[in-house]
Amino acid sequence: QVDFRPFIQVEGVSAKEFRQTRIQILDHSGVIFTSRTAIDHYFRVCQDMRITVPDTMKYFCISEATAFYLQKYIVYRKRKIFYADGTFEDLMEVMKKHKEEKFLVPLSHIHKLEIPELLDKYNYNYTKAILYRTVSSDLSDLKDVNYDVLVFFSPSGIKSLLQNFPEFEQKEIKIASFGPTTAQAVKEAGLRLDIEAPTSVAPSMTMALEQFIKKHNKGL
């Protein structure tokens, strides 16, 4: 039995909060999108502030899938849209022909340091705009965490677990994590990491879980 339960949720920054940053969206001629969530909150803030985004705005997206998501808000074929292969490093190459633009980068309050570091490295003129934040979900309805395995995909999930259940004791519960930063968060929280992905033999979490269950059942 598998229960999918988000331990974290995304919360938008209000128009009032954003105004206090003194960032002028229309002072920028290009927008850099690293995710669909960033797209949603960029257009939400524009709508809340009654800002009409000009047709001349250029959009630079980390992947083709992210770029296609723009269709939710704009007439895709009539806009200047550019996209990379899924990495921020490649996006820097795509942007080289547009060095004269002033870029706005909608982000969460927790974001990869690689983003501003690469923008600085290539001397792009940009402004970071914190438009949303990741917060812990209310898990009080769970009362007790009676699961054999807890699977986490981000450090924020670990933080949420301990915020919701400060008396949490791992005991026989197995903890699985995806990615090096999540694994590090498990260890820093003083918890035991039992299942880790990706690895050379388990590139996905489903494979890691399958291998662990097979090995565990053999010993029964």
Side-chain angles (χ1 to χ4, degrees), residues 25-48:
I25 287 176
L26 296 182
D27 283 351
H28 303 80
S29 52
V31 190
I32 299 171
F33 289 124
T34 56
S35 67
R36 295 180 181 188
T37 305
I39 292 173
D40 285 335
H41 288 283
Y42 170 78
F43 285 101
R44 175 188 59 79
V45 166
C46 287
Q47 184 179 24
D48 290 349

Side-chain angles (χ1 to χ4, degrees), residues 1 3 13 38 46 49 59 70 86 111 113-114 117 124 130 147 150 165 170 174 181 214:
Q1 179 187 328
D3 289 343
V13 166
C46 287
M49 296 178 69
Y59 301 99
L70 280 167
H111 54 267
L113 292 176
E114 173 197 37
E117 284 172 358
Y124 285 111
I130 305 303
Y147 289 97
L150 298 176
F165 307 101
Q170 186 174 355
K174 305 295 185 275
T181 56
K214 282 181 180 176

Side-chain angles (χ1 to χ4, degrees), residues 104-173:
L104 185 75
V105 193
L107 293 168
S108 167
H109 74 303
I110 299 173
H111 54 267
K112 291 181 180 177
L113 292 176
E114 173 197 37
I115 295 170
E117 284 172 358
L118 283 174
L119 287 164
D120 288 336
K121 178 183 174 182
Y122 288 95
N123 295 313
Y124 285 111
N125 184 359
Y126 74 96
T127 307
K128 278 199 309 181
I130 305 303
L131 299 185
Y132 54 102
R133 58 177 70 91
T134 303
V135 298
S136 299
S137 301
D138 180 5
L139 305 174
S140 55
D141 60 304
L142 286 178
K143 293 183 181 176
D144 298 305
V145 189
N146 293 321
Y147 289 97
D148 296 310
V149 183
L150 298 176
V151 184
F152 295 94
F153 289 87
S154 75
S156 303
I158 302 296
K159 181 182 175 184
S160 176
L161 171 71
L162 298 178
Q163 278 185 351
N164 277 279
F165 307 101
E167 304 299 318
F168 176 74
E169 291 181 21
Q170 186 174 355
K171 296 181 181 177
E172 295 304 309
I173 296 173

